[in-house]
Amino acid sequence: MRSSRRRPLLVPALLCAALALVAWPATADGEPGGDDPGGPGSGLSAQVARLYEEAAVATQRYQEGRVEAGKQRAKAQRLEQLLALERQEITVLHEDLGRIARAQYRGGGGLPVAAQLVLSSSPDTLMRGQHILSRTNLVVDNAIGKSRRAETRLAADEARAARVRQALERRNTELAVLKTGIEQKLEQARWQLQGQADASVAAGACRGAERFDRPPPHDPREWVVPVDGYTLSASFGSGGARWASRHTGQDFAVPIGTPVKAAGAGRVVRVSCGGAFGIEVVLRHPGGYYTQYAHLASVAVDQGESVSAGQWIGQSGTSGNSSGPHLHFEVRVTPDMGSAVDPVPWLAARGAPVS
């Protein structure tokens, strides 16, 4: 039941490249979301779930933008280096052309060709020299022209890369502001949800299942880890002042409002709101095993309901005897406390390793 320091959730999402980032969907007043306040999934639990997903996507967009801006920054730097090399090469070619001109002048190149022909001991030698000099000048001129064209092209590429990078950085600044705003709203809504949970536990009566406005899961796996983005805290069998003997489950430290998933297909045999476990759900699975999900902030299923693997059955919290937000997860051979087995190897044996 003990919780450790929380780690921010990062839900993997397939998103477009940052160059094609589009504006975040907003309502008429510019706020995220847009569900009818009186429609399905409009309660506080559903609001937390929506903000949770929006925050995850906003974080992913922000990270994508940072990565893409970094790539463009590196590209601009490479182009700048190439441009410097091209300019250096042009300088060297100009120096070569100057040396050729000076050598020609010292060798009589400053005289008219007719005078050089009269003074030359061998007309053939003179003509060969003039031909070689002309070809040399042509090669140097062509190289200079080629380098100048390359310099122009690289300068245009560098300017274009800089514009793209600047646009990405501006967009990323906007995304950072949006991300911060969503996270602030999410944090406020989380503690409002926890306040409702604490009131339910104090009264010993659950508020009832709140259905999330989201499509049913399509996870092909038969067994899954009950939460994403977790940090492992108290493990099975560990000791602590909060437990009469030993810890009977595995704790997953996650923020309040994190979706809690059914580890496998089964039926809800218990939904309760009171005692040390706070708000809890117990499922019975084929084969006779039971799984317990405790310290919840809300539930999304009713007793007697059938669930599938990966289905959202509630949201994590810190209700009951809890030192911080986390999910307490147990695997039992009966629906009651005292029959728990270590859930980590149990999940791993069913293809759902806990990392």
Side-chain angles (χ1 to χ4, degrees), residues 201-276:
V201 172
C206 294
R207 295 173 56 85
E210 182 168 352
R211 309 297 175 175
F212 301 128
D213 185 16
R214 69 190 301 272
H218 297 288
D219 198 319
R221 297 172 295 175
E222 293 186 8
W223 297 95
V224 299
V225 178
V227 287
D228 296 320
Y230 56 84
T231 298
L232 295 177
S233 49
S235 58
F236 180 80
S238 58
R242 288 182 172 269
W243 313 305
S245 54
R246 293 290 179 178
H247 193 231
T248 54
Q250 174 63 58
D251 285 354
F252 297 87
V254 286
I256 295 169
T258 300
V260 175
K261 301 176 289 185
R267 184 176 297 274
V268 181
V269 297
R270 180 184 300 156
V271 176
S272 64
C273 300

Side-chain angles (χ1 to χ4, degrees), residues 217 219-227 260-269 281-293 301 305-314 327 329-332 343 346-348 350-352:
D219 198 319
R221 297 172 295 175
E222 293 186 8
W223 297 95
V224 299
V225 178
V227 287
V260 175
K261 301 176 289 185
R267 184 176 297 274
V268 181
V269 297
V281 172
V282 178
L283 306 180
R284 185 184 189 280
H285 303 281
Y289 282 101
Y290 297 79
T291 54
Q292 180 213 27
Y293 311 79
V301 291
E305 183 177 339
S306 293
V307 297
S308 57
Q311 178 178 333
W312 285 15
I313 60 173
L327 170 71
F329 176 72
E330 284 192 21
V331 176
R332 301 170 175 173
W346 188 89
L347 284 171
R350 287 157 178 77

Side-chain angles (χ1 to χ4, degrees), residues 326-346:
H326 71 287
L327 170 71
H328 174 84
F329 176 72
E330 284 192 21
V331 176
R332 301 170 175 173
V333 295
T334 75
D336 301 315
M337 186 176 177
S339 60
V341 299
D342 191 341
V344 172
W346 188 89

Side-chain angles (χ1 to χ4, degrees), residues 105-124:
Y105 181 81
R106 287 194 300 270
L111 296 174
V113 175
Q116 293 183 44
L117 184 61
V118 171
L119 297 174
S120 175
S121 59
S122 170
D124 289 340

Side-chain angles (χ1 to χ4, degrees), residues 94-152:
H94 272 295
E95 291 174 353
D96 288 344
L97 190 58
R99 283 194 295 271
I100 292 171
R102 289 191 296 273
Q104 183 182 11
Y105 181 81
R106 287 194 300 270
L111 296 174
V113 175
Q116 293 183 44
L117 184 61
V118 171
L119 297 174
S120 175
S121 59
S122 170
D124 289 340
T125 301
L126 174 63
M127 295 308 295
R128 281 198 301 273
Q130 289 290 336
H131 179 67
I132 292 172
L133 181 62
S134 176
R135 288 183 59 187
T136 302
N137 288 340
L138 181 61
V139 168
V140 173
D141 284 340
N142 287 341
I144 290 174
K146 182 179 178 181
S147 292
R148 281 177 174 163
R149 289 191 297 272
E151 179 187 10
T152 301

